[in-house]
Amino acid sequence: MVQHNANSTVLLGSKKVEIKPEFMRMAINAALKGIKNGGGPFGACIVDFDGRVIACAANSVINTPSPTRHAEVNAIDLACRKLKTHVLDKYAIYTTTEPCLMCRGAIYWAQLPIVVYGTNQKDARTLGFDELNITDAQFLKLAKRKTAIVGDFLRNEAQCVFSEFKKISGKLY
């Protein structure tokens, strides 16, 4: 299931999970903090279905240096270590930008059933990032697990991360 500009709930089986703006704003804040520390313009947060924030992380590709240190992967790693499990099937990920192919893979293997993103891959490409594009529909067709995707959530707010990145660094990788 793919929703755009949704601001209410996602139904997972019989469980209603509220999609909350404050969690996207936390991901945006993580990205802005990451930019100030020399990272790329991306942030992500892992939240349980009751609204408890488990982990937030920024992109750290440039300052690690490692091409796999995307915000989503960093947040998943932090959450898994904190929870002492590799299965995050009762959690949602909020990410400032639509996940790339690598991050979609990490999200799938972590079994995250809800993905909420702000800006989309087209927005990232206009900034100059060379994303391997896989659409939400293609991902859902390939996935054997049900995943709810809420796209373009607070997109205008999430775009401020790109503006700040251009002002401070603009260094592409």
Side-chain angles (χ1 to χ4, degrees):
M1 160 180 61
V2 180
Q3 297 173 277
H4 288 279
N5 296 315
N7 60 0
S8 56
T9 59
V10 167
L11 189 61
L12 289 178
S14 62
K15 174 113 175 127
K16 285 185 179 180
V17 179
E18 189 175 352
I19 305 303
K20 296 184 177 180
E22 60 262 31
F23 300 134
M24 179 58 74
R25 290 183 181 114
M26 290 176 78
I28 290 168
N29 286 334
L32 292 170
K33 184 177 177 184
I35 291 167
K36 289 179 182 145
N37 291 326
F42 308 100
C45 290
I46 308 283
V47 181
D48 74 13
F49 295 164
D50 294 321
R52 186 173 60 115
V53 177
I54 306 303
C56 288
N59 174 290
S60 59
V61 167
I62 296 167
N63 40 357
T64 33
S66 172
T68 63
R69 301 318 316 169
H70 290 199
E72 297 92 335
V73 172
N74 288 342
I76 289 168
D77 284 352
L78 286 170
C80 288
R81 277 189 260 132
K82 183 174 182 177
L83 298 167
K84 297 181 178 20
T85 183
H86 64 281
V87 177
L88 301 176
D89 61 349
K90 294 182 178 31
Y91 301 86
I93 186 166
Y94 287 74
T95 180
T96 56
T97 299
E98 181 179 0
C100 71
L101 183 59
M102 177 185 72
C103 292
R104 284 186 195 264
I107 288 164
Y108 181 79
W109 290 117
Q111 301 179 35
L112 285 152
I114 300 174
V115 179
V116 182
Y117 64 82
T119 62
N120 55 52
Q121 289 181 5
K122 186 177 178 182
D123 296 326
R125 282 192 302 279
T126 60
L127 190 64
F129 284 94
D130 185 19
E131 299 296 312
L132 279 173
N133 191 24
I134 179 172
T135 66
D136 292 335
Q138 290 169 318
F139 173 75
L140 292 172
K141 186 176 178 182
L142 291 171
K144 302 235 186 303
R145 296 181 198 102
K146 294 213 186 258
T147 304
I149 299 174
V150 179
D152 298 331
F153 187 74
L154 299 185
R155 182 172 173 242
N156 290 339
E157 288 184 46
Q159 285 179 325
C160 78
V161 175
F162 289 160
S163 299
E164 191 66 16
F165 180 69
K166 281 192 251 182
K167 278 193 265 178
I168 291 178
S169 165
K171 182 177 180 181
L172 300 176
Y173 46 88

